[in-house]
Amino acid sequence: MSESPRTLGTVQEWFQAVVTHPDGVEGGVQSEEAQALIRLPRGELEAVICRSRNLTASERIGIYANAYYAPPAGMRGRLLPAAQERPGRGTFSTASPSTTCSAIPRGATRWTTGRDFPPLPGRDPAGSGGRRTAARRGRLAGLPHRSGLAGVDARQGLRRSREPRARPC
Amino acid sequence: MLENPSSYVTFQDSTMDEWEFVSRMAEEADCGLLLDVNNVYVSSFNHDMDPDKFIRSLPHERIVQFHLAGHSNYTTHLIDTHDNHVIDPVWELYRTAHELTGGVSTLLEWDANIPPFPVLHDEVLKAKRFMGEYLPALPAAPAVPEEAEPVLAMAGTPGMPGMTGERAPHPLHHILPEVE
């Protein structure tokens, strides 16, 4: 833990700008909005987010970024199957993140959270089996706003970060 | 009353541990704490902290309720998903929390992948067994003078107690004994 001139408000606004960015964590960190709050060169994410013993800073903040888009998209498909069928799955799956989020009832924020959390490669929830993971990755593959990201391949789940392992803070 | 969250990142700018933040916040706000024992375990795993130290460091006199839940284990990190059984290490933390507080009420959260009722009920009974060790027996209700007892006034509703002047049942009357 270090001393820094950054205020809590600045870190909170930066965090929101990063995890809600449609181009993923790296895109979010490099975005104009995030850089205006905290100027970070590429690969310097650990200047703000600590790594843990098991995960890099990018992987950790990626949990929030994935939670922001993947569950609402999955829920929308289950809650509005007609919308998915009529225009065709392709049309439905290209809906913007903001459209996806606006279609979800406010109360439906947690009930499918576990089902929709994309695991890191080779790290399935204990006892869940590979079939569930494959289905989850299949759903993620239908999310175009995630498929072109640096650091994320929607067909394979999260790629491992190239950040060097270092001591957690 | 404020609840401790599950979290997945820590910040370089943090100046104190989570338990210190929660404790100072509760003291400053002069509020009660809802201690989510599973959240303590999830955050401690994700942030390489000691969950037992976390619980022992809180102001126990401010804890007014416990939450229990299951989570998803991704090996490298845990996600608070409320979709599974409470795991044994969380039950052990719950036991510690009961010892430290003297026992407060508990809510079991299971709101995704909800199992058949008997499975859910078994989990509640398991919590109740822990509670039984530490939760003091409820004091007997004080005697109320006959003339002061409330009477339901629902005249005109056939079959309702008010029609015959029956006294309103005590609220605890509606709580049925647990099926063991």
Side-chain angles (χ1 to χ4, degrees):
Chain A
M1 297 178 186
S2 61
E3 290 184 24
S4 165
R6 289 192 289 256
T7 65
L8 175 61
T10 299
V11 175
Q12 285 177 325
E13 286 184 53
W14 173 88
F15 189 88
Q16 181 170 336
V18 172
V19 302
T20 62
H21 198 278
D23 291 336
V25 169
E26 192 168 336
V29 171
Q30 296 305 319
S31 69
E32 192 175 328
E33 184 181 3
Q35 288 285 325
L37 293 161
I38 299 178
R39 183 159 295 282
L40 275 183
R42 285 188 189 278
E44 295 294 323
L45 186 56
E46 286 188 27
V48 182
I49 303 291
C50 300
R51 67 170 51 232
S52 70
R53 195 178 297 152
N54 296 322
L55 296 178
T56 64
S58 179
E59 288 168 335
R60 297 181 89 192
I61 197 171
I63 293 170
Y64 287 91
N66 283 312
Y68 189 78
Y69 284 126
M75 273 191 277
R76 188 182 185 215
R78 286 189 292 279
L79 292 171
L80 303 171
Q84 194 167 7
E85 293 305 324
R86 283 182 191 157
R89 198 175 185 87
T91 304
F92 172 76
S93 64
T94 54
S96 70
S98 59
T99 304
T100 297
C101 293
S102 67
I104 305 300
R106 289 189 176 189
T109 53
R110 191 201 279 274
W111 62 291
T112 55
T113 308
R115 188 165 43 185
D116 288 322
F117 260 103
L120 298 176
R123 294 168 182 178
D124 298 341
S128 70
R131 206 177 338 168
R132 191 171 155 197
T133 302
R136 189 182 295 116
R137 286 180 182 160
R139 284 199 299 276
L140 282 174
L143 301 177
H145 56 282
R146 304 292 291 162
S147 61
L149 309 182
V152 174
D153 182 331
R155 288 158 300 184
Q156 297 177 22
L158 283 169
R159 281 205 303 268
R160 299 295 296 171
S161 168
R162 291 178 184 167
E163 294 174 54
R165 294 281 170 186
R167 188 168 53 87
C169 53
Chain B
M1 185 167 68
L2 293 167
E3 177 179 1
N4 60 300
S6 283
S7 58
Y8 310 96
V9 294
T10 47
F11 296 90
Q12 293 284 3
D13 290 305
S14 295
T15 55
M16 64 185 83
D17 291 310
E18 184 175 332
W19 56 77
E20 183 184 352
F21 175 78
V22 170
S23 301
R24 289 175 61 175
M25 176 189 66
E27 295 295 336
E28 290 289 323
D30 192 22
C31 67
L33 286 175
L34 194 169
L35 180 62
D36 189 315
V37 183
N38 181 61
N39 284 355
V40 169
Y41 185 81
V42 166
S43 292
S44 296
F45 183 96
N46 290 339
H47 308 326
D48 309 315
M49 302 186 299
D50 178 358
D52 188 71
K53 182 178 180 184
F54 189 126
I55 284 185
R56 291 182 186 281
S57 302
L58 295 173
H60 309 116
E61 71 282 1
R62 291 190 177 273
I63 296 172
V64 295
Q65 191 178 85
F66 295 127
H67 277 187
L68 289 169
H71 56 255
S72 295
N73 185 343
Y74 291 89
T75 307
T76 52
H77 59 288
L78 308 181
I79 303 284
D80 177 36
T81 46
H82 295 191
D83 64 352
N84 216 326
H85 288 275
V86 179
I87 65 168
D88 286 345
V90 173
W91 285 119
E92 285 307 310
L93 290 172
Y94 180 61
R95 183 194 301 278
T96 300
H98 262 297
E99 287 173 3
L100 294 168
T101 60
V104 296
S105 65
T106 297
L107 175 70
L108 174 69
E109 300 175 295
W110 199 327
D111 42 54
N113 295 333
I114 299 173
F117 180 76
V119 176
L120 186 62
H121 192 222
D122 281 348
E123 200 80 342
V124 172
L125 292 180
K126 189 171 181 179
K128 215 178 165 193
R129 284 196 290 275
F130 281 94
M131 290 176 71
E133 296 176 29
Y134 300 104
L135 197 61
L138 289 173
V144 180
E146 184 74 19
E147 62 274 16
E149 293 203 34
V151 175
L152 285 179
M154 300 185 74
T157 309
M160 294 301 289
M163 289 295 289
T164 57
E166 289 179 38
R167 288 188 294 274
H170 188 279
L172 286 177
H173 167 81
H174 299 290
I175 299 176
L176 300 175
E178 198 68 57
V179 179
E180 295 284 358

